[in-house]
């Protein structure tokens, strides 16, 4: 299948190879663009340099890519997935990788260690109250740095050559300008994105585990079941 994957421009570097490993082709479509907040980035880097955090949690690859070159010394660093970890490690920032692909996995991963610790969160300017609340309830201190804003590109997605579209975040669906087709399979990268689709009266045929690989594996399993039924 040829899959249109919603991405911020520049975040699609390895998608083609990752899709090919599962027998599919893909290309990127861009419902969102990022607006980098340079003053916030400088403030975060300065706070890290001064040793104000016990842990940093990178919830996506973009802030890792922006900030990793600026970090000379770091406390404990957690990445939400292997792509985020790869961006950090590219610049020599050692990190741990969550076993799951959701920010809700962060506090359970740290366990009792989080109590009394200050957590630096370089993120998009998108609310994530459940993460902040979970850190606070566990006795941690959350400090958010909203390093970039997400805005609609206001451009219709190029789906004419696609057999499927994969929405990689709730925001990418909410801001997308696109035309559904009967022959266009709709996929969600995980359950949070799927919930956004269903709120918008779009039922995803495939729901992944929060990762591209997990979604492609679910797609192949789905196709295998259809083949057996036929």
């Amino acid at each position: 299948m040829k899959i249109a994957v919603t991405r911020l421009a520049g975040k699609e570097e390895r998608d083609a190879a990752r899709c090919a490993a599962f027998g599919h082709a893909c290309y990127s479509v861009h419902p969102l663009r990022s607006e980098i907040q340079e003053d916030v980035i400088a403030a975060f880097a300065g706070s890290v340099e001064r040793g104000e955090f016990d842990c940093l949690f990178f919830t996506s690859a973009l802030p890792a890519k922006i900030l990793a070159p600026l970090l000379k010394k770091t406390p404990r660093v957690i990445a939400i997935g292997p792509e985020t970890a790869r961006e950090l490690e590219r610049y020599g920032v050692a990190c741990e990788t969550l076993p799951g692909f959701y920010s809700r996995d962060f506090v359970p991963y740290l366990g009792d260690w989080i109590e009394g610790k200050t957590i630096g969160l370089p993120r998009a300017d998108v609310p994530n109250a459940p993460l902040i609340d979970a850190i606070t309830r566990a006795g941690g201190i959350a400090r958010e740095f909203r390093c970039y804003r997400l805005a609609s590109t206001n451009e219709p997605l190029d789906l004419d050559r696609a057999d499927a579209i994969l929405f990689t975040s709730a925001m990418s669906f909410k801001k997308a300008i696109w035309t559904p087709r009967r022959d266009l399979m709709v996929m969600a990268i995980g359950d949070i994105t799927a919930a956004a689709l269903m709120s918008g009266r779009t039922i995803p045929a495939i729901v992944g585990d929060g990762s591209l690989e997990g979604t492609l594996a679910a797609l192949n399993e789905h196709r295998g079941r259809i083949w057996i039924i036929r």
Side-chain angles (χ1 to χ4, degrees), residues 70 83 89 92 108 143 174:
L70 306 178
E83 294 303 307
E89 291 165 353
R143 289 184 58 191
K174 292 174 182 177

Side-chain angles (χ1 to χ4, degrees), residues 133-216:
D133 291 345
I135 292 172
T136 302
R137 285 196 305 270
I141 302 163
R143 289 184 58 191
E144 278 190 294
F145 290 77
R146 299 193 176 190
C147 297
Y148 63 101
R149 296 191 181 113
L150 294 174
S152 174
T153 59
N154 294 316
E155 296 175 359
L157 303 186
D158 172 18
L159 301 178
D160 290 346
R161 50 199 170 117
D163 302 305
I165 180 169
L166 170 57
F167 288 101
T168 57
S169 69
M171 184 69 75
S172 69
F173 170 73
K174 292 174 182 177
K175 296 296 185 181
I177 300 172
W178 66 298
T179 303
R181 304 193 318 260
R182 291 180 63 86
D183 63 340
L184 181 69
M185 176 181 284
V186 178
M187 303 190 291
I189 200 166
D191 56 18
I192 294 174
T193 303
L197 267 66
M198 288 186 281
S199 293
R201 298 184 179 181
T202 297
I203 306 301
I206 305 295
V207 179
D209 65 354
S211 70
L212 177 59
E213 286 82 358
T215 307
L216 294 169

Side-chain angles (χ1 to χ4, degrees), residues 7-12 28-30 32-34 62 65 153:
R7 290 294 192 196
L8 289 173
K11 283 191 65 176
E12 68 275 19
S28 297
V29 290
H30 307 295
L32 297 170
R33 58 183 173 82
S34 59
L62 182 58
K65 184 174 185 177
T153 59

Side-chain angles (χ1 to χ4, degrees), residues 4-24:
V5 182
T6 62
R7 290 294 192 196
L8 289 173
K11 283 191 65 176
E12 68 275 19
E13 294 174 355
R14 297 181 61 253
D15 283 355
R18 295 159 75 192
C19 286
F22 287 83
H24 302 287

Side-chain angles (χ1 to χ4, degrees), residues 10 21 47 49 60-61 76 82 90 119 123 128 144 198 203 219:
S47 293
E49 184 69 23
S60 68
R76 187 177 186 181
R90 180 182 299 179
I119 312 299
R123 302 184 55 251
N128 190 344
E144 278 190 294
M198 288 186 281
I203 306 301
L219 170 61

Side-chain angles (χ1 to χ4, degrees), residues 66-121:
I66 295 168
L67 287 160
L70 306 178
L71 304 180
K72 306 306 178 188
K73 59 179 183 178
T74 59
R76 187 177 186 181
V77 179
I78 313 293
I80 202 167
E83 294 303 307
T84 302
R86 187 173 287 107
E87 291 293 349
L88 293 166
E89 291 165 353
R90 180 182 299 179
Y91 294 97
V93 178
C95 66
E96 303 163 49
T97 306
L98 284 184
F101 297 97
Y102 297 97
S103 60
R104 66 187 178 220
D105 299 320
F106 176 67
V107 171
Y109 176 77
L110 292 183
D112 293 341
W113 182 88
I114 196 173
E115 187 172 357
K117 303 297 194 301
T118 300
I119 312 299
L121 303 167

